Amino acid sequence: MSGIYIHIPFCKQACHYCDFHFSTSMGKKEAMVAALRKELLLRKDEFKGEVVETIYLGGGTPSVLELHEIRSIIDAVYADYKVAEAPEITLEANPDDLSTEKIKALSKSPVNRLSIGIQSFFEEDLKLMNRAHNASEAENCIREATAYFDNISIDLIYGVPDMTNERWKHNIDKALSFGVPHISSYALTVEPRTALANFIERGIVKNVDDEAAQAHFHLLVDTLQAAGFEHYELSNFGKPGYFSKNNTAYWQQKKYLGIGPSAHSFDGVRRAWNISNNPKYIKAIGSGELPMETETLSVTDRYNEYVMTGLRTIWGVSMERIASDFGERYRNYALRQAEKHVGENLLYFKGDVLLTTKKGKFLADGIAADLFMVNLS
């Protein structure tokens, strides 16, 4: 299985917490779409013999594109690559872009999965985040989308300053009321050089509270699991049959191609990333050049990535796979490092597979870091 990720680097406005690569100027949108199509052509040999099973338009905000632009990008994938008979084709979208007319049009396009950035159903949260939509648009777009799409995911953010458990529970219950089969939920994170970081430093906004975020996380897990969702990755919950195929492939170290400025690619051994500059990206691609950097991952790098992604998922970290893919000494190291966390009821073994306990899930990234190998090449 392999996938193609296409980064659409445009947004109507900058969310205060976001540190992804994007531009709020749409002046180069047409040139960018042409460049994305050309990069797909330039890199088709990298996927020779591969069958593309997922196409994911992320960003940024892909829904700012016109329908003919979205279609042209997807058409370029079909023209230059071998695509599976029924691929998962996801479009990230914001509620303010999803008019009834656009949803209807998208439902007749190759797009078969929507990932909608709701974040909250409360006006004060949306204003704090500087989202482009309001609470009414959030509800209306989901109501309309569920009439035309079966496979829908929505994003919610917890750990927002002054968000009580009651208000967070209301957000979860509201999301469940629409019957969507997938929810992605993330703790509000203060990234350096973002507006949110600046506001907190100046005392305009309260800092995030880790204990409150952890309480929100456990409330989220308990509520969604009671509603029939499987907690298949730290931030992702799906009804059976509705796990994100694109993201699952990433967590299982499958091959993927990243198209567009700032997009990352991975072939199992090498990682590559494009320049995070729209004009320079467009100019380079127009000249037939690939504006990317590449690194070959060491055995230690690949072991660390496997541990990091595996502990976030229901598939865990297999000791047998560590031994076969990276070597017996890595397996022994992982076992030694895991002992303390098993004793603290943060990790447990199911056969030879190491998994996080309910108590350990929220701490998965920190636990994984403790299992990382640093000095062995």
Side-chain angles (χ1 to χ4, degrees), residues 261-272:
S262 82
H264 283 60
S265 304
F266 179 64
D267 68 2
V269 176
R270 288 174 297 277
R271 188 172 299 287

Side-chain angles (χ1 to χ4, degrees), residues 265-286:
S265 304
F266 179 64
D267 68 2
V269 176
R270 288 174 297 277
R271 188 172 299 287
W273 57 95
N274 285 340
I275 190 171
S276 297
N277 182 294
N278 289 2
K280 290 182 179 179
Y281 169 82
I282 291 170
K283 182 178 179 180
I285 294 295

